[in-house]
Amino acid sequence: MTTADADGLTVAPLTRPIDATVRPPGSKSLTNRALVCAALAEGRSVLDGALFADDTAAMAGALRALGAVVGEDEAKGRMEVLGTGGALNPGPVSVDVRLSGTTSRFLLPVVALGEGRYRVDGGPPLRARPMGPVLDGIRALGAAVVEEDEPGHLPVTIVAPGGLVGGEVRVAGDTSSQFLSGLLLAAPYAAGGVDLSLTTGLVSRPYVTLTAAVMKAFAVTVVEDEAGGFHVPAGHYWACEYPIEPDASAASYFLAAAAIAGGRVTIAGLGSETLQGDARFADVLADMGASVTRTDDSTTVAMDGPLRGLGDVDMSDLPDMAQTLAVVATFADRPTRVRGVGFIRGHETDRIAAVVRELRRCGIDASEEDDGFVVRPGEPRPARIETYDDHRMAMSFALLGLRAAGITIADPDCVAKTFPAYWRELDALRSPGEPARAL
């Protein structure tokens, strides 16, 4: 039973191993990338299996302000988009990206394709997140950027010249791959095409691969050279019917639940051919002792033995899984050091400091490092987990409560950013003989 009150939402421990099949909502990463391509495309696109959550609502609303027609049928999981053909509403236009990092970093280059002044702003937590590399890329493409407060942060006004010339752009990739993805998504509409090269290493590379795959579905091919640069020819997106598979990041919480509580969880609709990098979290669980089975359209994690600590693991390509791994590692047989994720300090919250602080609140020995953290296993004590307006803190730390009594999640509604039905789906892991949920 999962109960909610003024203190938050308390997760009751499971009394039996899990035996469940789950189909998470559509991928946020795919939905927001496809929305951008469809909004710039010629014609009407249909996105089947789309995610309906705060982040995708932010994207859809911003694209409407720019001239796209976005129709939504949440009951069918479908969005229909009548694209602009690259002809955006001229400025002045105000674009509210709310709390969505993908919306802000994808649309800043897109509005530079228009003509006039486009003011882009979001909520206070998003204003704290860095935007410098994508703003530098916009300047290199020929648009002006007016920063209103702290340099490299929202709010900003893009003064678009009525068409970008294109050319060579150098961008840093060590803070977020979203900067590169945003520039790639807008690049086909630059008159001379765009050549993008990296000035640093690239974190979260699978997300860039995902961007290129979505662009290809809308008829634009990204070419990566041997030196790691990217060329996007001048062209146009063309409307299409685009199927969106379940979100691999959302799936990770249910796979982790099987590893923590024992039993089996199958994720329907997420199979061996997915390009979502976070689907590889199942392999991390396999290294910890779980059994992983993949088919063309499903992934199953089963656990019937002890969890093994990983010792040392590089999560730079799976940064959104770091918090989930921290919770799983709490129940392992030896410490786990997570490294390569220093850049997640600049996500919705400082996800390294927050993970360590909340594990310690539960009595777990954890420590920060420059690029990650160390978790030393133990038995969690009852605690009220602060979530810092971070959906992934809420969803990952709730998993502690599947095995430890007294875990309460503060501000549980923050999961609406990407997974509004999370608490209902988490409670559905309980077998028929367990107490019914109370939400």
Side-chain angles (χ1 to χ4, degrees):
M1 181 184 299
T2 304
T3 57
D5 57 28
D7 289 331
L9 186 147
T10 300
V11 181
L14 295 172
T15 61
R16 304 175 187 176
I18 300 169
D19 185 8
T21 297
V22 180
R23 188 179 181 94
S27 164
K28 180 194 80 170
S29 297
L30 289 171
T31 300
N32 271 356
R33 285 164 172 79
L35 279 170
V36 172
C37 293
L40 290 174
E42 302 275 358
R44 184 182 298 274
S45 297
V46 177
L47 313 184
D48 273 319
L51 172 67
F52 289 82
D54 287 354
D55 271 15
T56 54
M59 178 65 83
L63 292 171
R64 291 187 186 104
L66 296 174
V69 178
V70 183
E72 303 178 18
D73 188 336
E74 186 170 357
K76 294 182 178 179
R78 175 177 294 175
M79 296 184 181
E80 294 191 12
V81 183
L82 180 60
T84 63
L88 306 181
N89 285 340
V93 173
S94 292
V95 179
D96 180 8
V97 295
R98 296 160 63 166
L99 295 177
S100 175
T102 54
T103 301
S104 60
R105 290 162 176 175
F106 291 178
L107 290 192
L108 284 166
V110 167
V111 300
L113 301 172
E115 182 173 9
R117 299 175 71 87
Y118 298 83
R119 186 177 187 272
V120 181
D121 195 12
L126 189 62
R127 289 181 178 181
R129 299 180 67 178
M131 302 288 165
V134 74
L135 297 178
D136 290 343
I138 293 167
R139 292 185 179 99
L141 288 171
V145 178
V146 180
E147 295 154 307
E148 297 182 20
D149 293 319
E150 184 181 356
H153 293 263
L154 299 180
V156 301
T157 294
I158 307 300
V159 185
L164 296 178
V165 176
E168 295 184 2
V169 178
R170 292 168 60 79
V171 61
D174 58 348
T175 302
S176 173
S177 65
Q178 292 173 357
F179 304 134
L180 177 58
S181 285
L183 293 164
L184 287 171
L185 287 165
Y189 291 84
V194 176
D195 289 297
L196 287 155
S197 59
L198 292 163
T199 60
T200 67
L202 178 62
V203 298
S204 306
R205 177 172 285 274
Y207 284 102
V208 176
T209 302
L210 201 66
T211 300
V214 176
M215 292 172 66
K216 186 174 182 179
F218 285 84
V220 171
T221 299
V222 177
V223 179
E224 185 172 4
D225 62 34
E226 294 181 357
F230 301 85
H231 173 69
V232 182
H236 288 80
Y237 295 121
W238 293 98
C240 69
E241 294 188 7
Y242 189 79
I244 294 172
E245 64 190 12
D247 191 287
S249 304
S252 73
Y253 304 111
F254 301 97
L255 299 178
I260 289 170
R264 174 202 65 86
V265 168
T266 295
I267 303 298
L270 192 67
S272 56
E273 299 303 312
T274 181
L275 291 178
Q276 294 183 71
D278 285 350
R280 290 168 45 201
F281 185 66
D283 300 322
V284 176
L285 296 176
D287 291 339
M288 301 182 82
S291 170
V292 176
T293 304
R294 290 185 173 92
T295 69
D296 290 345
D297 62 355
S298 70
T299 300
T300 299
V301 165
M303 192 76 182
D304 61 2
L307 273 166
R308 296 194 297 263
L310 291 175
D312 183 275
V313 58
D314 183 346
M315 295 291 284
S316 58
D317 280 346
L318 303 174
D320 285 344
M321 302 294 94
Q323 291 144 295
T324 313
L325 178 56
V327 170
V328 177
T330 298
F331 300 103
D333 62 358
R334 62 190 177 104
T336 294
R337 175 177 180 250
V338 174
R339 59 180 172 82
V341 294
F343 57 94
I344 69 174
R345 292 185 184 276
H347 283 196
E348 280 83 343
T349 186
D350 180 339
R351 286 179 167 172
I352 292 175
V355 160
V356 169
R357 186 180 302 119
E358 298 312 308
L359 286 177
R360 288 176 173 172
R361 193 188 304 275
C362 298
I364 301 301
D365 184 6
S367 56
E368 292 187 46
E369 296 189 344
D370 288 343
D371 69 341
F373 51 80
V374 178
V375 178
R376 300 168 186 88
E379 289 298 322
R381 67 189 180 208
R384 182 177 185 271
I385 305 297
E386 298 297 332
T387 50
Y388 311 94
D389 204 21
D390 184 348
H391 56 131
R392 300 208 185 280
M393 285 297 294
M395 290 188 283
S396 58
F397 272 79
L399 301 176
L400 285 174
L402 298 181
R403 217 169 117 173
I407 299 299
T408 297
I409 305 299
D411 187 23
D413 291 342
C414 69
V415 302
K417 188 176 196 304
T418 56
F419 198 164
Y422 178 72
W423 301 114
R424 182 176 70 244
E425 295 295 334
L426 189 68
D427 243 6
L429 296 180
R430 302 176 190 280
S431 61
E434 293 188 272
R437 58 187 171 86
L439 287 178

